[in-house]
Amino acid sequence: MSTSGAPGLARRAFAEFLGTGLLVTVVIGSGIMAVRLSPDVGVQLLANSAATAAALPVIIVLVGPVSGAHLNPMVSLVDWLLGRRNRAGITARCVAVYLPAQMIGGIAGAMLANAMFDLPAVSASTHDRSSPTLWLGEIVATAGLIAVVITLPRQGRAHLAPPIIGAYIGAAYWFTSSTSFANPAVTIARGFTDTFAGIAPASIPGFLAAQLIGAALGTAIATALYPARAATAGPEPAAHPRPVAPEVSDARAV
């Protein structure tokens, strides 16, 4: 997996920790600010989605050259799975390091957002999100995200990942019933804040299951459309780091 001059695993793990933490900070912080500025739920969601869609490309650009900016356990797992045959993705060892870094980073981001707005650093959310319609929304949101993440490099357009992924997440806030978490690390972290963006701990397992189904569906769709990387894509700069991600390119994404 490693190539000459590629960042070490510790530095890549830190990038995933930092990027995921920043993402969660934006999601929760903008939600808190939106509620404080407007009593209208539609305006609150608009502010929350706009802030996330704007910040996500910036975060991807910040940490992408170091770790690939997965920021999402599903992206890391799919990258490892698709890259096993040709060794194009991250290794199992990287997965074992990335996933805890993403989870811990997300929780740290939730604590930071709470603290910035003078709330308890940790407070269990009471926002129930357990219903089949919301789970279906998460399947759709995650499938779309993973499909985009896989498809872009296979089209030779990995350089477009930051704005396109940001745009997808911003839109998915509105067209999915779940408001598009699409990210296990973000989902778990949002259980640590009893605010607009929170999710009750009891609702988290259903969302995680839906995300797993969505990731499998998105992978199947993308690989059916694009069985292999585009021949015209040209060589990538290195096996790691890559502009946004390896076989895939996320980020949250959320």
Side-chain angles (χ1 to χ4, degrees):
M1 178 206 79
S2 60
T3 59
S4 178
L9 186 55
R11 187 148 66 98
R12 296 201 297 275
F14 175 67
E16 288 297 301
F17 167 87
L18 177 64
T20 310
L22 290 174
L23 176 58
V24 173
T25 300
V26 169
V27 171
I28 294 176
S30 62
I32 297 171
M33 179 66 82
V35 170
R36 292 188 177 183
L37 294 179
S38 173
D40 186 277
V41 176
V43 174
Q44 293 168 5
L45 184 60
L46 178 61
N48 194 206
S49 61
T52 304
L56 184 53
V58 177
I59 296 170
I60 294 173
V61 169
L62 174 66
V63 304
V66 179
S67 68
H70 290 194
L71 317 180
N72 186 330
M74 289 303 172
V75 171
S76 297
L77 289 170
V78 169
D79 181 38
W80 167 74
L81 180 65
L82 293 181
R84 285 186 306 162
R85 180 173 300 178
N86 57 11
R87 299 185 180 179
I90 62 174
T91 64
R93 180 167 175 254
C94 283
V95 173
V97 172
Y98 272 31
L99 267 58
Q102 293 158 354
M103 296 292 185
I104 296 169
I107 294 170
M111 295 173 65
L112 175 60
N114 288 334
M116 283 197 298
F117 288 92
D118 197 26
L119 298 172
V122 173
S123 58
S125 175
T126 57
H127 193 161
D128 180 69
R129 298 178 188 264
S130 54
S131 78
T133 56
L134 296 183
W135 300 333
L136 178 59
E138 269 303 279
I139 291 172
V140 172
T142 309
L145 174 62
I146 295 299
V148 169
V149 160
I150 295 172
T151 295
L152 286 171
R154 292 185 176 213
Q155 292 177 337
R157 296 176 178 176
H159 62 287
L160 296 177
I164 289 178
I165 291 170
Y168 173 80
I169 291 300
Y173 262 88
W174 290 91
F175 74 76
T176 64
S177 57
S178 65
T179 66
S180 184
F181 285 46
N183 184 330
V186 171
T187 302
I188 291 171
R190 287 168 73 161
F192 286 76
T193 181
D194 193 18
T195 61
F196 178 79
I199 177 172
S203 300
I204 290 175
F207 266 57
L208 298 183
Q211 289 160 3
L212 183 61
I213 295 170
L217 181 60
T219 301
I221 291 171
T223 53
L225 290 172
Y226 299 94
R229 192 179 302 274
T232 58
E236 292 187 280
H240 279 283
R242 305 189 184 191
V244 174
E247 251 308 304
V248 293
S249 44
D250 174 5
R252 187 216 130 205
V254 192

